[in-house]
Amino acid sequence: MLKYILILVFSISLLSSERPNIIIIITDDLGWGDVSYNGGPINTPNIDKLAHDGLQMNRFYSAPTCSPTRAALFTGINSLKNGIIRPLNNPTAERYGLPLKHKILPEYLKEIGYQTALSGKWHLGMFSDEYLPRNRGFESTYGHLGGGIGYFDHALSGRLDWHRNGEILYEDGYSTELIANEAIRIIENKDPNRPLFLYIAFNAPHTPIQAPEKNIELFNYIEDPLDRAYAANVNALDTEIGKIIDTIEGQGILEETIIVFFSDNGPVFDLSLIHISE
């Protein structure tokens, strides 16, 4: 499936001994037509700015579902060969994850001196400790381990799925904002002696489609309540991405940072089948 990847590189010499910061921002089920720079009806000025200021790779392909795309990203191996060919589901029923034989991107980067951090969705295995992100190269981890959690209750299949460094975390808030807040905290407290690898994996706009009332009110002109909630969800996502970019600029590290942005796969087909209101 054709998707997009936007790479923003500011004055980084490939011959330089200085290693750039690397920040990957991945969204969950955001469609090609969901962004306004592609002519979509939802205004996404911050994502649009990445597209306009960076390099658009418009013949970039991803897997059609969550886990295979993430496995391919971290291993550099096609999803038909890396062992993850579909989304991972209930960890008590499926006792596997991204095969441990693969050394993955954060492990390589940590090995050469990078500070490594994850904020957001993992979805590459959680049934035993060795499959958890903190044991696969990430020095700090925050967010959820499974697939489509509730944005407000942070639950998956009726069970809380929210953690910090492998420990269950009880926390109020809208997941899109919380994931961005953690990313901002990491950027602001970056180790000045090491380059940063930060993987920001939003669960938006994956189902269940939920959004804060303040964002929904911005789209009162949309008659269909499902479409209104979806627009508000994407709007909230774009707002938080803007805050992250502003923080990078505010910390004075934009010139030495590579930002990669893409969606893991295409959009949800029929919102009416899976919408859950808040």
Side-chain angles (χ1 to χ4, degrees):
M1 181 179 295
L2 180 63
K3 295 307 298 172
Y4 51 87
I5 183 170
L6 313 177
I7 300 182
L8 191 59
V9 185
F10 290 92
S11 306
I12 298 174
S13 170
L14 294 178
L15 300 178
S16 173
S17 61
E18 295 295 324
R19 294 189 176 97
N21 303 303
I22 302 170
I23 296 179
I24 297 177
I25 303 173
I26 180 170
T27 59
D28 203 347
D29 294 359
L30 184 70
W32 186 90
D34 287 337
V35 290
S36 50
Y37 80 85
N38 278 334
I42 306 170
N43 190 30
T44 53
N46 297 297
I47 295 174
D48 292 0
K49 188 175 187 300
L50 286 175
H52 296 148
D53 292 351
L55 172 67
Q56 297 182 45
M57 299 182 69
N58 56 17
R59 291 187 61 82
F60 168 76
Y61 292 81
S62 72
T65 53
C66 301
S67 299
T69 294
R70 296 159 204 273
L73 169 68
F74 282 146
T75 63
I77 302 171
N78 184 283
S79 59
L80 295 176
K81 295 182 178 181
N82 63 32
I84 301 296
I85 60 173
R86 62 178 175 80
L88 300 179
N89 294 316
N90 190 328
T92 61
E94 296 185 331
R95 303 185 64 78
Y96 72 98
L98 179 61
L100 299 175
K101 67 181 180 180
H102 298 307
K103 184 175 180 179
I104 65 173
L105 180 61
E107 293 177 282
Y108 282 108
L109 292 175
K110 181 180 179 181
E111 195 173 73
I112 62 172
Y114 272 78
Q115 174 187 348
T116 57
L118 158 66
S119 180
K121 177 177 176 175
W122 174 237
H123 208 193
L124 287 173
M126 57 184 287
F127 81 91
S128 61
D129 279 354
E130 60 262 38
Y131 289 92
L132 297 178
R134 61 192 171 94
N135 292 319
R136 309 215 61 178
F138 285 107
E139 296 172 340
S140 68
T141 65
Y142 171 88
H144 57 112
L145 298 171
I149 63 165
Y151 289 78
F152 293 96
D153 64 9
H154 314 147
L156 175 64
S157 300
R159 296 181 297 179
L160 180 67
D161 182 9
W162 201 248
H163 73 95
R164 181 183 296 282
N165 298 325
E167 298 294 329
I168 294 174
L169 179 62
Y170 297 90
E171 185 176 36
D172 293 329
Y174 184 64
S175 61
T176 300
E177 296 175 356
L178 294 175
I179 290 168
N181 289 343
E182 176 70 4
I184 289 169
R185 185 193 67 79
I186 292 168
I187 294 167
E188 290 179 337
N189 294 280
K190 174 188 173 299
D191 184 340
N193 298 314
R194 293 194 292 165
L196 172 65
F197 171 62
L198 174 57
Y199 177 56
I200 309 168
F202 287 103
N203 62 307
H206 194 288
T207 57
I209 307 302
Q210 298 171 331
E213 190 60 36
K214 64 183 180 182
N215 295 92
I216 293 175
E217 290 175 354
L218 298 174
F219 297 92
N220 284 335
Y221 59 88
I222 298 177
E223 293 185 6
D224 188 294
L226 305 183
D227 289 340
R228 189 184 312 134
Y230 189 81
N233 183 293
V234 174
N235 170 260
L237 171 66
D238 182 79
T239 297
E240 298 307 314
I241 289 174
K243 292 177 183 178
I244 292 169
I245 302 304
D246 287 345
T247 301
I248 296 169
E249 291 183 299
Q251 292 296 303
I253 60 172
L254 187 61
E255 298 285 330
E256 56 201 53
T257 300
I258 297 175
I259 302 171
V260 180
F261 171 83
F262 67 104
S263 178
D264 64 348
N265 50 256
V268 174
F269 175 69
D270 189 349
L271 293 180
S272 66
L273 296 178
I274 41 72
H275 174 75
I276 301 177
S277 63
E278 172 65 26

XYZ file of all heavy atoms in Angstrom, residues 3-4 9-10 33 37 39 42 46 67 69 71 83-84 88 94 103 138 157 199 211 224 239 242 244 251 254:
209
model
N 2.155 4.642 0.884
C 2.064 5.562 2.010
C 3.067 6.666 1.797
O 3.608 6.841 0.707
C 2.346 4.831 3.332
C 1.309 3.781 3.678
C -0.089 4.297 3.665
C -0.302 5.378 4.679
N -1.612 6.022 4.553
N 3.334 7.409 2.821
C 4.253 8.511 2.660
C 5.233 8.553 3.808
O 4.963 8.120 4.907
C 3.503 9.846 2.572
C 2.517 10.073 3.674
C 2.905 10.638 4.885
C 1.196 9.684 3.521
C 2.002 10.830 5.900
C 0.290 9.867 4.553
C 0.695 10.440 5.731
O -0.205 10.621 6.734
N 15.823 16.990 6.994
C 17.232 16.972 7.325
C 17.757 18.395 7.219
O 17.645 19.023 6.183
C 18.027 16.063 6.368
C 19.474 15.963 6.812
C 17.410 14.688 6.297
N 18.328 18.918 8.310
C 18.794 20.293 8.334
C 20.314 20.330 8.464
O 20.868 20.088 9.522
C 18.170 21.071 9.495
C 16.715 21.343 9.321
C 15.786 20.455 9.825
C 16.274 22.471 8.652
C 14.443 20.704 9.681
C 14.930 22.715 8.510
C 14.004 21.824 9.021
N -5.189 10.438 2.432
C -6.100 11.552 2.228
C -6.550 12.238 3.502
O -7.420 13.120 3.461
N -2.229 18.551 3.157
C -1.305 18.815 2.053
C -1.561 17.868 0.876
O -1.144 18.140 -0.253
C 0.147 18.752 2.517
C 0.749 17.378 2.649
C 1.304 16.723 1.551
C 0.782 16.739 3.880
C 1.862 15.464 1.675
C 1.345 15.493 4.013
C 1.882 14.850 2.914
O 2.436 13.609 3.047
N -4.666 17.319 0.041
C -6.004 17.718 -0.356
C -7.108 17.202 0.524
O -8.290 17.328 0.190
N -9.371 17.560 6.429
C -8.976 17.890 7.794
C -7.718 18.748 7.748
O -6.709 18.347 7.160
C -8.704 16.609 8.622
C -9.911 15.671 8.565
C -8.382 16.971 10.071
C -9.637 14.284 9.140
N 0.647 21.333 10.877
C 1.974 20.931 11.362
C 2.548 19.780 10.548
O 3.742 19.778 10.211
C 1.881 20.566 12.844
C 1.479 21.758 13.692
O 2.190 22.742 13.772
N 0.306 21.682 14.308
N 1.765 -4.254 13.277
C 2.981 -4.937 13.716
C 3.968 -5.214 12.588
O 5.181 -5.015 12.766
C 2.627 -6.247 14.432
O 1.846 -6.009 15.574
N 4.621 -3.536 9.875
C 5.338 -2.309 9.515
C 6.396 -1.971 10.551
O 7.535 -1.617 10.225
C 4.356 -1.137 9.370
O 3.503 -1.376 8.257
C 5.093 0.178 9.151
N 7.854 -4.008 12.664
C 8.919 -5.010 12.631
C 9.878 -4.733 11.471
O 11.099 -4.858 11.624
C 8.321 -6.407 12.498
N 9.374 -12.554 10.404
C 8.631 -13.349 11.372
C 7.345 -12.722 11.861
O 6.597 -13.349 12.618
N 7.054 -11.487 11.453
C 5.819 -10.813 11.875
C 5.009 -10.496 10.624
O 5.314 -9.561 9.887
C 6.119 -9.516 12.656
C 6.958 -9.817 13.895
C 4.811 -8.831 13.057
C 6.281 -10.677 14.933
N 0.047 -8.472 16.232
C 0.041 -9.327 17.419
C -1.216 -9.044 18.226
O -1.610 -7.890 18.392
C 1.282 -9.055 18.267
C 2.624 -9.311 17.567
C 3.779 -8.981 18.507
C 2.729 -10.741 17.094
N -1.191 -15.699 22.225
C -0.117 -15.747 21.240
C 1.214 -15.546 21.952
O 1.562 -14.430 22.306
C -0.312 -14.658 20.176
C -1.561 -14.838 19.345
C -1.647 -13.818 18.235
O -1.110 -12.711 18.400
O -2.254 -14.125 17.200
N 18.560 -8.439 15.888
C 19.060 -7.254 16.586
C 18.404 -6.063 15.913
O 18.462 -5.917 14.691
C 20.580 -7.181 16.472
C 21.216 -6.042 17.255
C 22.736 -6.142 17.160
C 23.417 -5.023 17.933
N 24.897 -5.142 17.869
N 15.794 -0.037 24.123
C 15.292 1.248 24.606
C 15.654 1.442 26.077
O 15.314 0.618 26.927
C 13.775 1.335 24.441
C 13.341 1.562 23.018
C 12.760 0.541 22.282
C 13.522 2.799 22.419
C 12.347 0.744 20.976
C 13.116 3.019 21.112
C 12.534 1.988 20.375
N -8.933 -4.491 25.490
C -9.740 -5.670 25.834
C -10.095 -5.697 27.316
O -10.058 -6.747 27.972
C -8.998 -6.953 25.448
O -8.733 -6.980 24.063
N 11.745 7.404 19.460
C 10.692 6.779 18.665
C 9.355 7.170 19.274
O 9.027 6.772 20.395
C 10.888 5.268 18.691
C 9.844 4.450 17.970
C 9.555 4.659 16.625
C 9.160 3.425 18.641
C 8.613 3.881 15.969
C 8.223 2.640 17.993
C 7.955 2.869 16.649
O 7.016 2.089 15.999
N -11.852 11.615 20.910
C -11.164 12.904 20.914
C -11.695 13.752 22.060
O -12.836 13.584 22.492
C -11.369 13.640 19.591
N -22.092 14.474 10.306
C -21.979 13.105 10.779
C -21.107 13.058 12.030
O -19.941 13.468 12.001
C -21.370 12.224 9.693
C -21.401 10.746 10.061
O -20.704 10.369 11.030
O -22.111 9.975 9.393
N -1.925 18.752 16.261
C -1.566 19.758 17.267
C -0.388 19.291 18.109
O 0.560 20.054 18.360
C -2.770 20.052 18.180
O -3.827 20.616 17.390
C -2.391 21.041 19.283
N 2.870 19.318 16.280
C 3.370 20.689 16.235
C 4.112 21.070 17.497
O 5.159 21.730 17.455
N 5.726 19.058 19.483
C 7.011 18.350 19.488
C 8.028 19.081 18.615
O 9.185 19.292 19.022
C 6.818 16.902 19.006
C 6.004 16.107 20.031
C 8.169 16.223 18.760
C 5.539 14.752 19.533
N 14.747 23.949 21.752
C 15.957 23.431 22.394
C 17.206 23.692 21.548
O 18.319 23.358 21.969
C 15.813 21.924 22.636
C 14.767 21.557 23.673
C 15.121 22.081 25.052
O 16.178 21.791 25.604
N 14.224 22.881 25.631
N 17.354 21.656 16.179
C 16.737 21.345 14.891
C 17.781 21.131 13.804
O 17.644 20.256 12.948
C 15.778 22.470 14.483
C 14.937 22.225 13.235
C 14.044 21.007 13.415
C 14.098 23.452 12.910
